Amino acid sequence: KADSHSHDEL
Amino acid sequence: MNVFRLLGDMSHLLAILILLLKMWKTRSCAGISGKTQILFALVFTTRYLDLFSSFISIYNTTMKLFFIASSYFTIFLMYSKFKATYDSNHDSFRMEFLVVPVGGLAFLVNHEFLPLEILWTFSIYLESVAILPQLFMVSKTGEAETITSHYLFALGSYRLLYIFNWVYRYYFDGFFDLIAVVAGCVQTILYCDFFYLYITKVLKGKKLSLPA
């Protein structure tokens, strides 16, 4: 679940 | 990182550079909404607090630092260095009409009820509407300098390219962030009218002006 909204975008 | 994401980021970077170049070369910030620029600074500040908590890549960190620094530099140029050229009479959109509802929504609809996560959500929602004071200003004056319309086009393209990036990531990486996608779509939709004017006027060599 954490991976689904990891904030790797700018 | 896929090609749409990279092109989107480059488009965002280009937009900021166009804006800075316009102000620096003409020594003027006429036609630019200071409200939108303040909102962008707030967006970057609240979103990139994760600079202190997580490291993703050199690229990611560099871009974040540049976006934060350039947004504050823009505000400095508008409200200090080139203050005399700032068209505050036409920049009358009320920021609290955006910040307050968006803040409330970030508390109610988020991935996790944690301070950093709520701030991230706030920044995503705020970014989607932060351009409104600028678009309001263009519609109020009925025109925009060509360089300003290039800036807006690059800024709108960035979000459109991010939508392609999300479609790609959904199919190839199994990644899907509902909050980012919905807000990103809203943000892109706000540019549609402008895109139409840009393609039908500015690309044909005319100045962007609205029908009276």
Side-chain angles (χ1 to χ4, degrees), chain B residues 53 67 73 87 95 98 108 141 156 178-179 193 207:
Chain B
S53 65
F67 286 156
F73 184 60
D87 190 5
M95 284 188 286
L98 298 177
L108 293 173
T141 56
L178 187 63
I179 288 178
D193 184 45
K207 189 175 169 163

Short mmCIF file of all heavy atoms in Angstrom, two decimals, chain B residues 53 67 73 87 95 98 108 141 156 178-179 193 207:
data_model
loop_
_atom_site.label_atom_id
_atom_site.label_comp_id
_atom_site.label_asym_id
_atom_site.label_seq_id
_atom_site.Cartn_x
_atom_site.Cartn_y
_atom_site.Cartn_z
N SER B 53 13.21 14.05 4.79
CA SER B 53 12.88 12.72 5.31
C SER B 53 13.18 11.57 4.35
O SER B 53 13.38 10.45 4.80
CB SER B 53 11.40 12.67 5.70
OG SER B 53 10.60 12.82 4.55
N PHE B 67 13.03 24.16 -7.91
CA PHE B 67 11.65 24.65 -7.93
C PHE B 67 11.37 25.55 -6.71
O PHE B 67 10.73 26.59 -6.84
CB PHE B 67 10.64 23.49 -7.95
CG PHE B 67 10.56 22.79 -9.29
CD1 PHE B 67 10.13 21.48 -9.39
CD2 PHE B 67 10.92 23.44 -10.46
CE1 PHE B 67 10.05 20.83 -10.63
CE2 PHE B 67 10.85 22.80 -11.70
CZ PHE B 67 10.42 21.49 -11.77
N PHE B 73 12.52 33.22 -5.58
CA PHE B 73 13.21 34.26 -6.35
C PHE B 73 12.20 35.04 -7.18
O PHE B 73 12.28 36.28 -7.28
CB PHE B 73 14.30 33.62 -7.23
CG PHE B 73 15.12 34.61 -7.99
CD1 PHE B 73 15.86 35.57 -7.31
CD2 PHE B 73 15.15 34.59 -9.37
CE1 PHE B 73 16.63 36.51 -8.01
CE2 PHE B 73 15.92 35.51 -10.08
CZ PHE B 73 16.65 36.47 -9.40
N ASP B 87 1.43 44.60 -11.75
CA ASP B 87 0.10 45.10 -12.04
C ASP B 87 -0.90 44.59 -10.98
O ASP B 87 -1.74 43.74 -11.25
CB ASP B 87 -0.27 44.58 -13.44
CG ASP B 87 -1.51 45.22 -13.99
OD1 ASP B 87 -2.04 46.13 -13.33
OD2 ASP B 87 -1.96 44.79 -15.07
N MET B 95 -6.71 34.82 -2.71
CA MET B 95 -6.02 33.55 -2.47
C MET B 95 -6.73 32.68 -1.43
O MET B 95 -6.71 31.46 -1.52
CB MET B 95 -4.59 33.80 -2.01
CG MET B 95 -3.65 34.21 -3.11
SD MET B 95 -1.94 34.25 -2.56
CE MET B 95 -1.93 35.73 -1.58
N LEU B 98 -9.00 29.92 -2.36
CA LEU B 98 -8.40 28.65 -2.80
C LEU B 98 -7.75 27.91 -1.64
O LEU B 98 -7.96 26.72 -1.45
CB LEU B 98 -7.35 28.91 -3.89
CG LEU B 98 -7.85 29.56 -5.18
CD1 LEU B 98 -6.68 29.81 -6.13
CD2 LEU B 98 -8.88 28.68 -5.86
N LEU B 108 -9.56 16.14 4.90
CA LEU B 108 -10.62 15.15 4.78
C LEU B 108 -10.26 14.00 3.84
O LEU B 108 -10.55 12.84 4.12
CB LEU B 108 -11.90 15.84 4.26
CG LEU B 108 -12.53 16.83 5.22
CD1 LEU B 108 -13.68 17.57 4.53
CD2 LEU B 108 -13.05 16.13 6.47
N THR B 141 -7.73 41.47 -18.06
CA THR B 141 -7.10 42.44 -18.95
C THR B 141 -7.45 42.13 -20.41
O THR B 141 -7.28 42.96 -21.28
CB THR B 141 -5.56 42.43 -18.80
OG1 THR B 141 -5.09 41.10 -19.04
CG2 THR B 141 -5.14 42.86 -17.42
N GLY B 156 1.06 24.33 -18.73
CA GLY B 156 -0.07 23.43 -18.99
C GLY B 156 0.39 22.11 -19.60
O GLY B 156 -0.12 21.05 -19.25
N LEU B 178 -4.57 7.93 -6.89
CA LEU B 178 -5.84 8.56 -7.23
C LEU B 178 -5.83 10.07 -6.98
O LEU B 178 -6.32 10.86 -7.80
CB LEU B 178 -6.98 7.90 -6.43
CG LEU B 178 -8.39 8.35 -6.79
CD1 LEU B 178 -8.72 7.98 -8.24
CD2 LEU B 178 -9.43 7.74 -5.86
N ILE B 179 -5.27 10.48 -5.84
CA ILE B 179 -5.25 11.91 -5.50
C ILE B 179 -4.48 12.72 -6.54
O ILE B 179 -4.96 13.73 -7.06
CB ILE B 179 -4.66 12.11 -4.09
CG1 ILE B 179 -5.69 11.62 -3.05
CG2 ILE B 179 -4.29 13.58 -3.84
CD1 ILE B 179 -5.22 11.72 -1.61
N ASP B 193 -9.12 25.88 -22.20
CA ASP B 193 -9.53 27.10 -22.89
C ASP B 193 -8.31 27.87 -23.37
O ASP B 193 -8.24 28.35 -24.50
CB ASP B 193 -10.38 27.95 -21.93
CG ASP B 193 -10.92 29.17 -22.62
OD1 ASP B 193 -11.42 29.03 -23.76
OD2 ASP B 193 -10.85 30.27 -22.03
N LYS B 207 -1.10 37.98 -31.16
CA LYS B 207 -1.06 38.14 -29.71
C LYS B 207 -2.29 37.48 -29.10
O LYS B 207 -3.35 37.45 -29.73
CB LYS B 207 -1.07 39.64 -29.40
CG LYS B 207 -0.82 39.96 -27.95
CD LYS B 207 -0.73 41.47 -27.75
CE LYS B 207 -0.74 41.78 -26.28
NZ LYS B 207 -0.27 43.11 -25.97
#
